[in-house]
Amino acid sequence: MPATIQFNPTEIISRLENSDSSGCLEINEGLVSWKIYLQQGQLKYVDCSAQLLDQLKYYLHYLGFKQAVTALKELPASYLKIQSSIQAKSPAQNVYRPIIFWLLAKQHLNSSQGLKLVEQITKDAFQTCLWLRDATHSWQGEESPPLWIRKQLGTFPSLKVSQYLSLEKTRLQQWQNCSDLLLSNHQRPYLSSGWENKEMPANGSLNQHNIKELAKVIRGRTSIRQLSILLQKDELQVAQILSPYIDRQIIF
């Protein structure tokens, strides 16, 4: 039976690590669900239901796998149908899995790069569930990590949970120090009308020229995550740069 008590993901996952548990922690937050696979307390894979082709492109950009990014333009039409199936809440593994298979089969990714990609997917999905405060969870002690990862890549990522939780705790605190209006890296910033007449924040790092250049990109269509790719900066850095201007209502 799913637990209904107050949800504390860090405490739950730390307990599973300390007991060297193997299995799958299933988390459900209404519209989004996660499956966190552990083997002897180590993080092997996280499967999140909120996945899109654009999200996969972000990971490839972030990791610098330019050949794979370019190759996605040649992705067969049958694979693009996955995009619409996501809206119908199809299982998350049916989104990334066939595209990763295709990239590997066409040699746009080698197995080492594929493993790094799966590790990045895992880290990102793991990070998002650490923010949850209202969710249900259940533990499936007999469930193993998806077999396709071992078949395609020869092994699984192996992340020490305590070290990663420590890093994410610091990162979460840094996100919380950003503007209170900044709630997600998927938000799409845009400039307010008449922003040129507003006083620039004293703690800001951008001048009017910088903002004019930024205005060519942020028009409510580019997310902070996408902006981080364009600026070649970590998305937290982008959030920190934008925050003073969001607080001053120069950027919405």
Side-chain angles (χ1 to χ4, degrees), residues 5-179:
I5 59 175
Q6 186 173 4
F7 185 65
N8 186 329
T10 300
E11 181 181 309
I12 294 166
I13 295 165
S14 294
R15 190 165 62 244
L16 291 169
E17 179 193 30
N18 292 336
S19 61
D20 290 336
S21 298
S22 295
C24 177
L25 177 66
E26 296 186 11
I27 298 172
N28 195 301
E29 196 249 347
L31 295 176
V32 185
S33 60
W34 290 259
K35 297 183 79 172
I36 301 173
Y37 295 93
L38 299 170
Q39 279 189 349
Q40 296 182 322
Q42 290 197 323
L43 183 63
K44 295 297 181 179
Y45 183 60
V46 180
D47 191 0
C48 177
S49 65
Q51 299 180 350
L52 294 166
L53 181 58
D54 279 350
Q55 189 85 340
L56 190 61
K57 287 179 182 176
Y58 166 78
Y59 298 137
L60 294 171
H61 271 289
Y62 183 83
L63 293 168
F65 297 160
K66 295 180 181 179
Q67 181 179 334
V69 173
T70 303
L72 288 180
K73 297 174 184 177
E74 303 167 9
L75 199 64
S78 59
Y79 288 83
L80 297 177
K81 292 179 182 177
I82 297 171
Q83 191 82 354
S84 60
S85 73
I86 299 167
Q87 310 306 326
K89 300 177 188 175
S90 63
Q93 66 179 22
N94 291 335
V95 176
Y96 288 163
R97 183 178 63 182
I99 298 176
I100 292 174
F101 281 9
W102 183 82
L103 289 169
L104 289 166
K106 297 293 183 180
Q107 298 184 338
H108 298 304
L109 285 178
N110 58 40
S111 58
S112 176
Q113 291 173 323
L115 187 63
K116 287 181 181 178
L117 175 58
V118 168
E119 184 174 317
Q120 187 59 41
I121 291 169
T122 293
K123 287 179 177 179
D124 194 57
F126 190 60
Q127 178 186 325
T128 60
C129 77
L130 295 179
W131 294 56
L132 298 175
R133 290 297 175 265
D134 184 18
T136 59
H137 70 279
S138 61
W139 174 250
Q140 308 298 331
E142 301 301 318
E143 193 165 348
S144 299
L147 189 58
W148 68 266
I149 297 176
R150 185 182 294 280
K151 282 187 173 180
Q152 290 291 316
L153 305 175
T155 186
F156 292 99
S158 188
L159 304 172
K160 191 167 177 59
V161 174
S162 56
Q163 290 179 353
Y164 192 64
L165 286 175
S166 177
L167 290 172
E168 283 307 310
K169 182 180 179 180
T170 300
R171 190 171 173 86
L172 178 58
Q173 289 171 341
Q174 290 173 324
W175 270 105
Q176 290 172 332
N177 288 333
C178 292
S179 172

Side-chain angles (χ1 to χ4, degrees), residues 223-247:
S223 70
I224 289 170
R225 170 155 282 189
Q226 292 167 328
L227 190 59
S228 73
I229 295 171
L230 295 172
L231 298 178
Q232 297 184 337
K233 292 181 180 293
D234 181 85
E235 57 195 7
L236 175 58
Q237 287 181 287
V238 173
Q240 290 169 329
I241 291 169
L242 297 183
S243 284
Y245 305 89
I246 295 171
D247 287 336

